[in-house]
């Protein structure tokens, strides 16, 4: 391949040059800063640069975002230390998603069959209640199904099925995810009803 002939083709960053510079020199350092640990300031900054972000989003120190104008985040999302959202294309993170420490979301790739190492981009979509564990990597074009888990250090270049736990490089399904809090709530509710019936019976 000839890297001296490399171009980005028709690709565009999606914002004027002045906005890119302002983000690079002002916005990005604020969001990434370890000296400013306040999520509210980081969220405010990302919104000012075009990110769509819901309520109660926690952003830890060291988080990097390539282009905030190509980022959409739902409610109650946690993004851990040193996560890297490399969003040359759109990244959508739905509500109640956890991105743990050092997670890398990669939306860009290259065509190794092309003589000029052609750039290729594709969006990433992480659906509600998913967990991407520490140091995991997600490639371009991947959709993480609702409630899926990609475990510690997992790497995936393909979409993940809902409510399934994946591990390894390349990530393989390990087992179905079972969330038991609903059963606990149902049990507590049943116990409460039984207690009320018992109390009513005594009073009678």
């Amino acid at each position: 391949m000839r890297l001296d002939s490399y171009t980005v083709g028709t690709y565009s960053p999606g914002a004027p040059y002045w906005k890119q510079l302002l983000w690079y020199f002002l916005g990005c350092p604020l969001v990434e800063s370890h000296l400013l640990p306040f999520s509210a300031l980081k969220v405010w900054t990302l919104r000012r640069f075009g990110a769509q972000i819901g309520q109660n989003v926690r952003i830890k120190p060291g988080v990097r975002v390539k282009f905030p104008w190509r980022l959409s985040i739902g409610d109650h999302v946690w993004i851990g230390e040193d996560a890297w959202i490399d969003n040359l294309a759109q990244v959508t993170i739905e509500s109640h998603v956890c991105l743990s420490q050092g997670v890398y979301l990669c939306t860009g790739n290259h065509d190794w069959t092309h003589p000029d190492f052609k750039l290729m981009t594709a969006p990433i979509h992480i659906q509600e209640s998913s967990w991407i564990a520490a140091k995991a990597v997600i490639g371009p074009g991947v959709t993480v199904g609702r409630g899926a888990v990609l475990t510690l250090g997992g790497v995936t270049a393909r979409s993940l099925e809902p409510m399934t736990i994946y591990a390894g490089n390349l990530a393989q399904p390990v087992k179905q995810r079972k969330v038991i809090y609903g059963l606990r709530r149902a049990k507590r509710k049943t116990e409460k009803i039984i207690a009320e019936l018992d109390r009513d019976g005594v009073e009678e």
Side-chain angles (χ1 to χ4, degrees), residues 63-93:
V63 171
R64 291 189 291 166
V65 177
K66 185 74 170 184
F67 295 141
W69 48 89
R70 287 182 171 160
L71 178 62
S72 176
I73 300 175
D75 300 326
H76 307 286
V77 171
W78 297 354
I79 303 180
E81 290 89 347
D82 301 318
W84 180 199
I85 302 175
D86 193 2
N87 55 339
L88 294 171
Q90 178 71 24
V91 166
T92 300
I93 302 170

Side-chain angles (χ1 to χ4, degrees), residues 128-187:
E128 183 176 347
S129 299
S130 299
W131 177 23
I132 312 303
K135 300 295 183 179
V137 177
I138 295 178
V142 168
T143 294
V144 177
R146 184 179 185 275
V149 176
L150 181 59
T151 62
L152 180 70
V155 178
T156 186
R158 64 178 184 179
S159 294
L160 307 183
E161 293 295 321
M163 297 302 292
T164 305
I165 299 173
Y166 289 81
N169 180 5
L170 290 169
Q172 300 296 323
V174 176
K175 60 182 178 179
Q176 292 297 112
R177 181 183 184 186
K178 296 181 180 180
V179 181
I180 62 173
Y181 68 84
L183 297 176
R184 289 176 179 171
R185 288 179 180 174
K187 182 180 178 181

